[in-house]
Amino acid sequence: MSSNTVYVLNGPNLNLLGLREPEIYGSATLDDIAGMLEDRARELGLEIDMRQSNHEGHLVDWMHEAQAEGAKAILINPGAYTHTSIALLDAARAIRTPVIEVHLSDPMQREAFRHISYIGMAARQTVAGHGPHSYLIALEAAAQL
Ligand code: CA2
């Protein structure tokens, strides 16, 4: 862990990526995305700490941890917690570590209940709608911070 570490946090159901609903979320698994990010991070002189949890509190704890450990940035795809979690919004506001919101799909082009993003209210940037490439775009943005 160093100040060049970027936490990449993934919320509920993203462990199923590549295994279910490929028509919406594509065929890459979360491990594939981690590999892609690690390759690019190496070129950028960064390190990746990639995690996934189906539990809101774990994501909150990891955001606090990122700040305590002096991480460079947090990339977070909160999954459906994007649209429900004031706890994640409060966590993003409570830390100084920059937060970049990431989505595979573009929630604004989907059902109305996905149009609100709480964490988006505190994120430096939101990258959405580019499939796994959204994570890479977000990593490039983190490298510029
Ligand atoms: O597009 C995204 O990245 C989302 O954050 C994905 C969430 C969804 O609730 C957000 O509105 C947008 C859902 C993640 C669920 O991932 C699955 C992966 C494979 C199969 C089923 C769900």
Side-chain angles (χ1 to χ4, degrees), residues 104-122:
L104 295 151
S105 66
D106 182 356
M108 293 307 290
Q109 305 298 324
R110 300 180 62 190
E111 305 94 324
F113 60 80
R114 296 185 201 273
H115 292 182
I116 187 162
S117 168
Y118 287 101
I119 200 153
M121 297 173 193

Side-chain angles (χ1 to χ4, degrees), residues 12-14 16-17 20-21 25 77 79-80 83 103-105 110 114:
N13 298 307
L14 286 162
L16 299 179
L17 210 58
R20 306 266 192 289
E21 299 193 272
Y25 298 115
N77 182 349
H83 319 299
H103 297 288
L104 295 151
S105 66
R110 300 180 62 190
R114 296 185 201 273

Side-chain angles (χ1 to χ4, degrees), residues 43-114:
E43 292 167 358
L44 292 167
L46 298 173
E47 272 176 41
I48 295 299
D49 190 331
M50 177 103 162
R51 305 179 188 187
Q52 187 276 332
S53 176
N54 294 324
H55 304 276
E56 188 175 11
H58 289 166
L59 298 168
V60 171
D61 287 344
W62 291 339
M63 291 175 76
H64 296 176
E65 180 188 309
Q67 147 103 356
E69 296 286 333
K72 182 173 179 63
I74 298 169
L75 313 188
I76 183 165
N77 182 349
Y81 290 142
T82 306
H83 319 299
T84 62
S85 179
I86 296 168
L88 290 180
L89 168 61
D90 286 346
R93 284 187 172 153
I95 60 176
R96 286 181 305 280
T97 315
V99 172
I100 300 177
E101 178 187 12
V102 183
H103 297 288
L104 295 151
S105 66
D106 182 356
M108 293 307 290
Q109 305 298 324
R110 300 180 62 190
E111 305 94 324
F113 60 80
R114 296 185 201 273

